[in-house]
Amino acid sequence: MASIVLTQVSKRFVRDVRRPPTMLGRALSLVTGRRNKAVVKALDEVTLSIGPGTILGVIGSNGSGKTTLLRAMAGVYTCDGGDIKAQGKVISLINLFFGLQERLTMRDNILLLCSFFSLSRRDAAKRVRRIAAFAELEQYLGTRLYQFSAGMLQRLVFSVAIHSYPNILLLDEVFEFGDEAFKRKSSRTLHRIAARGGIVVLVSHDLALVRRHCSRIVRLDRGRIVADGGTEIIRSYLKRDD
Amino acid sequence: MIRMDLARHFLRLSYALALAEFKARNEDSAFGILWYLLNPLLMFVLLLLVFGERLGAGIPHYPLYLLFGIIIFEFFIRTTNESARLIHSYRVLIKSVAFPRAALVGSVVMKALFSHAAEIVVFSIVMALFAVPPAGLALYPAVLVLLCLFSFGCALLLASITVFIADIEYVWAFLSRLLFFATPVFYAIPSGSAAGALNLANPLTHLITVARYLVIYLEVPPAWAIAGSVLSSLAMLAAGWLAFSALQKRFPERI
């Protein structure tokens, strides 16, 4: 059974507030005391426990810390404070075009992507046809990726991710693409992952999408969880905007 | 158990990335891997023509001595030069997925091994032309392992530091040129000379010396060269691994 527990997780970023100075500029700033950096709290003591079978929606305005939260859960970011415990195989789709080699065929790219998700070459080779079939791209196995449309690439990467059997699937604005039939198929797959004890975390600005799929919703604001509950969170979020 | 899984994931990913990069680079090329051979072969012909008479006179099998030195040095330079800008070129990947990031550097070493294999085939043909028995080549993998460890360590160090100090890429491009002239690739350093003593600090001298003794001259290499090869390779690997492990946590927010 999958689970993720975040305990007082904090993440700070040091951001440039002015153009990065030259070596001479840096040396002068030691004398003048003029600072070119500012510290931004992207996550501020976030505590969150997600149990098996949950499809969690994360909403919030731009810069509220949604993607940082997802990256912290995925293990991409190391946190400055607190602790994250994830049980189960985590697969993150934060950017759908990561790691693709445009000059290689779809088959070669499937093998490459599978290796990021800890699959052996033999296991990946066994799944190539299934992955292509789910993405509805069977006839393009020998086609090089630069000839694919963005939609085809999205379907391919999503298909590789779900065929790598994640217990915890982290999605950042990368869900519901393709035609209606493919959207329905993807949606069923997410619910199947949750039904067999997995976790799906869906970060999105599309509130209708979050309302449709998520059994639990958290709202972030300036790196803090300000609301945690069901679809009523969306109503209160919309009211705030009014 | 977890460490074994991580090591397996690291090796699989390094191999998959190396293979993909290697294929992608050669996919549209009519001559493919021959382009990798062109650079060392051109360098070999040039240096042989310019220095063969003057510097190679006292060196037995000078053409083999020169070619072997070039391809070993080329392996190191190919690995380290590419690693200096590696992390930035994989920024989307690093910010999207958690994976053993050292595998990116591992893939560069593996990719260099693919082209090195082709260079060794060419070298063995030249050996046959000079009627040098190929038996020594059987011992070369031992030196190659040390060369890989040394190059991997140095590449880890460069890859991680360049994320924080971009100028290192340019400094290394300059230093690597100097290193070529400071390493006895196309000349020999007389033993007991001041230059010889100074060159003991150059790990590539040790590795190239051991390789030449074993493969070309079929002799036991000097103890100082063996000790220097083993110690410098392990020390560089440790330094690179420690630096990379300490700095890689900050890569995603720095790129």
Side-chain angles (χ1 to χ4, degrees), chain B residues 107-131:
Chain B
S107 76
V108 173
V109 177
M110 283 200 190
K111 205 166 50 171
L113 270 175
F114 297 159
S115 42
H116 191 65
E119 287 164 352
I120 291 296
V121 170
V122 172
F123 178 72
S124 60
I125 294 168
V126 180
M127 277 178 88
L129 292 176
F130 282 87

Side-chain angles (χ1 to χ4, degrees), chain B residues 196-208:
Chain B
L198 196 67
N199 229 287
L200 287 176
N202 178 358
L204 282 172
T205 302
H206 304 307
L207 286 161
I208 291 175

Side-chain angles (χ1 to χ4, degrees), chain A residues 11-13 71 74-78 92-95 97-99 101 103-105 108 111-112 115-121 144, chain B residues 9 12-13 15-17 19-21 23-24 27-28 90 92-99 101 104 164 167 249-250 252-254:
Chain A
K11 181 69 190 168
R12 290 188 308 270
F13 292 116
R71 284 190 173 133
V76 171
Y77 283 149
T78 309
S92 56
L93 288 182
I94 292 168
N95 182 318
F97 303 114
F98 76 91
Q101 285 278 2
R103 307 307 296 178
L104 294 185
T105 63
D108 286 333
L111 296 176
L112 179 61
S115 61
F116 286 116
F117 299 144
S118 311
L119 288 186
S120 70
R121 208 166 172 80
R144 286 192 266 172
Chain B
H9 186 31
R12 275 181 191 156
L13 191 53
Y15 178 71
L17 277 164
L19 196 63
E21 277 272 326
K23 268 183 155 181
E27 200 71 16
D28 292 321
Y90 279 103
V92 174
L93 178 64
I94 288 171
K95 292 180 101 142
S96 304
V97 190
F99 64 98
R101 289 164 190 150
L104 296 173
F164 301 91
D167 300 52
K249 293 168 196 150
R250 290 167 60 200
E253 52 204 88
R254 288 297 298 242

Side-chain angles (χ1 to χ4, degrees), chain B:
Chain B
M1 192 64 188
I2 290 170
R3 284 200 174 274
M4 279 297 287
D5 281 351
L6 269 176
R8 203 175 301 138
H9 186 31
F10 164 79
L11 286 173
R12 275 181 191 156
L13 191 53
S14 299
Y15 178 71
L17 277 164
L19 196 63
E21 277 272 326
F22 196 75
K23 268 183 155 181
R25 199 175 284 182
N26 296 310
E27 200 71 16
D28 292 321
S29 161
F31 295 101
I33 199 164
L34 290 179
W35 289 115
Y36 291 90
L37 299 175
L38 194 66
N39 194 29
L41 284 178
L42 196 66
M43 178 84 88
F44 168 65
V45 172
L46 272 175
L47 290 173
L48 191 64
L49 288 175
V50 176
F51 296 116
E53 293 263 313
R54 262 185 298 163
L55 299 174
I59 301 172
H61 298 305
Y62 180 70
L64 287 176
Y65 176 98
L66 173 63
L67 182 58
F68 209 27
I70 289 172
I71 61 176
I72 291 175
F73 190 84
E74 188 76 13
F75 177 89
F76 173 73
I77 287 302
R78 206 176 276 158
T79 310
T80 49
N81 277 355
E82 195 173 335
S83 297
R85 55 181 172 273
L86 192 69
I87 302 300
H88 274 285
S89 59
Y90 279 103
R91 60 187 298 276
V92 174
L93 178 64
I94 288 171
K95 292 180 101 142
S96 304
V97 190
F99 64 98
R101 289 164 190 150
L104 296 173
V105 183
S107 76
V108 173
V109 177
M110 283 200 190
K111 205 166 50 171
L113 270 175
F114 297 159
S115 42
H116 191 65
E119 287 164 352
I120 291 296
V121 170
V122 172
F123 178 72
S124 60
I125 294 168
V126 180
M127 277 178 88
L129 292 176
F130 282 87
V132 171
L137 278 172
L139 299 170
Y140 182 57
V143 187
L144 189 57
V145 168
L146 293 175
L147 179 65
C148 285
L149 295 180
F150 179 73
S151 305
F152 182 54
C154 195
L156 283 171
L157 201 59
L158 283 166
S160 50
I161 296 175
T162 312
V163 174
F164 301 91
I165 311 168
D167 300 52
I168 294 291
E169 185 185 339
Y170 306 105
V171 172
W172 180 248
F174 172 72
L175 279 182
S176 59
R177 274 167 207 255
L178 281 186
L179 194 61
F180 178 76
F181 293 104
T183 306
V185 172
F186 57 95
Y187 58 87
I189 300 173
S191 54
S193 66
L198 196 67
N199 229 287
L200 287 176
N202 178 358
L204 282 172
T205 302
H206 304 307
L207 286 161
I208 291 175
T209 304
V210 171
R212 279 170 175 155
Y213 267 89
L214 289 175
V215 177
I216 304 173
Y217 305 122
L218 299 167
E219 287 175 22
V220 178
W224 61 263
I226 297 174
S229 299
V230 174
L231 291 176
S232 58
S233 299
L234 295 178
M236 185 53 86
L237 179 67
W241 191 262
L242 285 174
F244 195 89
S245 305
L247 297 173
Q248 60 124 1
K249 293 168 196 150
R250 290 167 60 200
F251 289 169
E253 52 204 88
R254 288 297 298 242
I255 54 177

Side-chain angles (χ1 to χ4, degrees), chain A:
Chain A
M1 287 288 175
S3 68
I4 315 176
V5 179
L6 290 88
T7 313
Q8 295 197 309
V9 170
S10 295
K11 181 69 190 168
R12 290 188 308 270
F13 292 116
V14 180
R15 296 256 155 86
D16 295 324
V17 287
R18 292 186 201 93
R19 195 174 66 85
T22 58
M23 291 288 266
L24 181 65
R26 272 180 227 176
L28 283 173
S29 70
L30 292 175
V31 181
T32 60
R34 189 176 162 181
R35 295 278 174 268
N36 297 295
K37 310 266 186 197
V39 175
V40 177
K41 274 187 181 175
L43 293 178
D44 191 3
E45 300 198 347
V46 170
T47 296
L48 179 66
S49 176
I50 312 167
T54 309
I55 301 185
L56 176 79
V58 182
I59 61 170
S61 50
N62 282 327
S64 58
K66 301 186 298 297
T67 303
T68 305
L69 179 69
L70 217 58
R71 284 190 173 133
M73 285 179 181
V76 171
Y77 283 149
T78 309
C79 297
D80 299 315
D83 181 45
I84 299 179
K85 282 196 170 68
Q87 215 162 42
K89 182 176 178 179
V90 181
I91 286 187
S92 56
L93 288 182
I94 292 168
N95 182 318
L96 270 179
F97 303 114
F98 76 91
L100 294 173
Q101 285 278 2
E102 287 199 328
R103 307 307 296 178
L104 294 185
T105 63
M106 183 169 110
R107 180 190 299 276
D108 286 333
N109 273 285
I110 290 174
L111 296 176
L112 179 61
L113 289 182
C114 283
S115 61
F116 286 116
F117 299 144
S118 311
L119 288 186
S120 70
R121 208 166 172 80
R122 192 183 297 169
D123 282 347
K126 278 185 203 160
R127 292 173 204 196
V128 165
R129 292 219 159 267
R130 248 182 300 159
I131 289 169
F134 184 90
E136 298 164 8
L137 297 167
E138 302 102 304
Q139 67 273 42
Y140 301 113
L141 271 172
T143 306
R144 286 192 266 172
L145 285 202
Y146 72 89
Q147 297 169 66
F148 279 36
S149 68
M152 289 162 87
L153 292 176
Q154 286 174 329
R155 294 202 316 257
L156 172 64
V157 177
F158 184 74
S159 181
V160 173
I162 58 160
H163 283 87
S164 303
Y165 299 121
N167 301 111
I168 300 167
L169 185 61
L170 309 174
L171 304 170
D172 188 7
E173 303 280 2
V174 286
F175 179 56
E176 290 217 339
F177 29 74
D179 56 25
E180 280 307 313
F182 190 80
K183 282 179 188 170
R184 277 199 298 276
K185 187 162 67 171
S186 308
S187 158
R188 277 199 302 275
T189 308
L190 291 198
H191 287 275
R192 207 174 301 138
I193 290 171
R196 61 164 197 253
I199 291 173
V200 177
V201 179
L202 180 58
V203 163
S204 186
H205 284 292
D206 184 346
L207 299 179
L209 178 99
V210 172
R211 191 198 305 263
R212 206 158 47 242
H213 295 291
C214 301
S215 49
R216 182 179 167 195
I217 298 165
V218 295
R219 194 185 127 209
L220 282 176
D221 186 34
R222 285 177 226 171
R224 283 179 167 270
I225 291 181
V226 291
D228 185 348
T231 48
E232 72 280 2
I233 303 287
I234 293 180
R235 279 194 295 276
S236 64
Y237 182 50
L238 288 172
K239 267 187 201 154
R240 181 204 68 113
D241 281 353
D242 293 340

